[in-house]
Amino acid sequence: MTALDVERAAVLEHLVDVRPHRHPSGTVFDVGTVAGHPGHGVAVALTGAGTTAAATLTERANAEFAPAAMVFVGVAGGLRDWLAIGDVVVATKIYSYQGGRSEEDEFLVRPSAWSISHRLDQEARRLLRGNAWHSFLPDRADEDAPVAYFEPIAVGDVVLNSRTSDLARRLRVSYNDAVAVDMEGSGFAHAAHLGNQVHAVAVRGISDHADGGKAAADRAGGQRLAARNAAAFAIALIAGLEPDEDGPGGERPRSASPVIHNTNTARDNARVGQQIGVNFGSTRGFR
């Protein structure tokens, strides 16, 4: 799952045999396989910004493909000075920070939170050994290589571009362990949780520091660098999972239908004209 064109493009750079998959509701997924890793099928969706759209298309993708895992890949604003532009944050916890109760003189937070899938957390941390995920990055000097962190993030439908605004202060007081902010993660996480609790994780690249310098960072290529690095980590994670022959790169999973063997036992003057259906379950209460 991605929100911006630059994020989708970064993911597609790692795929081969990409083709469109059109959903009846109009959503167009890009479906392909990870280059050099046959059997690792990936379906890519573009949600647009915001939690509502992210939740809707996450549910749609989950229902359409029944994936083994779902990953949201994108950029984020950093809330810590030690995060460099291009570093990657794997979200161990996703906060939805906009819930609360507004009183006359204060705002009382009522947060929701979702934790990373244990399976994906374990697999993702393996990629830190020798920075194995760097093999999915384009060639670059070792001293400029990005660092991957496992930390909480905060999510809301607001572009944060200040360290002194009311929202920035609220995040610092009530969500002080969050190291980055984005606009889709909570919608994605909630939909994944409701969708039979599919394994899910958000991988974010730091594109700016949410400090008033977002426009300058974007002009300097911060979003492109952040998206590229987040995509590299996400694809490395996907490539490390067991291949799924029934995933997005293969045939769409279909529910098995039972084999029906009918025997009509009409006797004497009774006669069955036509049997046109089979009922599974009780018929009590029907007249």
Side-chain angles (χ1 to χ4, degrees):
M1 309 298 293
T2 62
L4 306 177
D5 287 318
V6 66
E7 299 164 352
R8 177 173 61 177
V11 174
L12 292 179
E13 287 182 1
H14 295 272
L15 305 184
V16 295
D17 300 325
V18 178
R19 61 192 184 278
H21 177 97
R22 293 178 171 84
H23 189 274
S25 296
T27 305
V28 180
F29 298 91
D30 289 301
V31 177
T33 56
V34 178
H37 296 269
H40 289 80
V42 177
V44 184
L46 184 69
T47 68
T51 57
T52 302
T56 300
L57 293 192
T58 297
E59 167 63 24
R60 185 166 297 166
N62 190 24
E64 183 74 358
F65 299 105
M70 301 190 77
V71 186
F72 206 106
V73 182
V75 302
L79 299 177
R80 297 290 187 272
D81 293 335
W82 45 262
L83 285 170
I85 302 298
D87 280 348
V88 172
V89 175
V90 180
T92 56
K93 186 183 297 182
I94 296 176
Y95 292 115
S96 175
Y97 64 70
Q98 288 181 292
R101 178 186 177 97
S102 181
E103 298 287 355
E104 290 185 0
D105 58 350
E106 62 180 336
F107 183 87
L108 305 176
V109 299
R110 293 181 176 178
S112 297
W114 299 264
S115 295
I116 184 176
S117 154
H118 175 65
R119 176 191 176 194
L120 295 185
D121 179 61
Q122 294 286 291
E123 295 289 350
R125 290 180 187 273
R126 290 173 57 85
L127 298 175
L128 299 183
R129 301 176 185 176
N131 285 322
W133 68 280
H134 284 177
S135 64
F136 287 81
L137 290 167
D139 293 337
R140 58 182 298 157
D142 290 340
E143 60 269 19
D144 294 329
V147 179
Y149 299 94
F150 286 71
E151 300 284 352
I153 64 174
V155 182
D157 290 301
V158 179
V159 177
L160 179 64
N161 193 29
S162 170
R163 292 286 183 91
T164 60
S165 66
D166 289 342
L167 175 56
R169 285 191 290 269
R170 186 192 310 166
L171 293 176
R172 191 161 51 248
V173 171
S174 301
Y175 305 90
N176 57 78
D177 58 340
V179 305
V181 289
D182 73 62
M183 297 177 62
E184 297 82 30
S186 60
F188 162 75
H190 189 51
H193 173 75
L194 295 179
N196 293 323
Q197 298 187 359
V198 61
H199 296 290
V201 62
V203 178
R204 294 286 179 170
I206 301 301
S207 61
D208 62 83
H209 285 106
D211 58 359
K214 176 175 172 54
D218 289 350
R219 287 194 300 270
Q223 280 197 345
R224 187 180 304 276
L225 177 63
R228 186 185 69 176
N229 294 350
F233 191 99
I235 294 298
L237 173 59
I238 292 169
L241 300 177
E242 291 294 327
D244 183 6
E245 295 181 357
D246 292 328
E251 294 297 322
R252 179 183 173 187
R254 300 180 184 275
S255 58
S257 299
V259 178
I260 306 300
H261 299 284
N262 295 320
T263 301
N264 294 319
T265 58
R267 297 178 179 176
D268 300 326
N269 293 325
R271 182 169 63 90
V272 176
Q274 184 179 23
Q275 182 167 313
I276 60 175
V278 179
N279 177 71
F280 296 97
S282 174
T283 58
R284 293 179 181 178
F286 292 92
R287 296 181 183 274

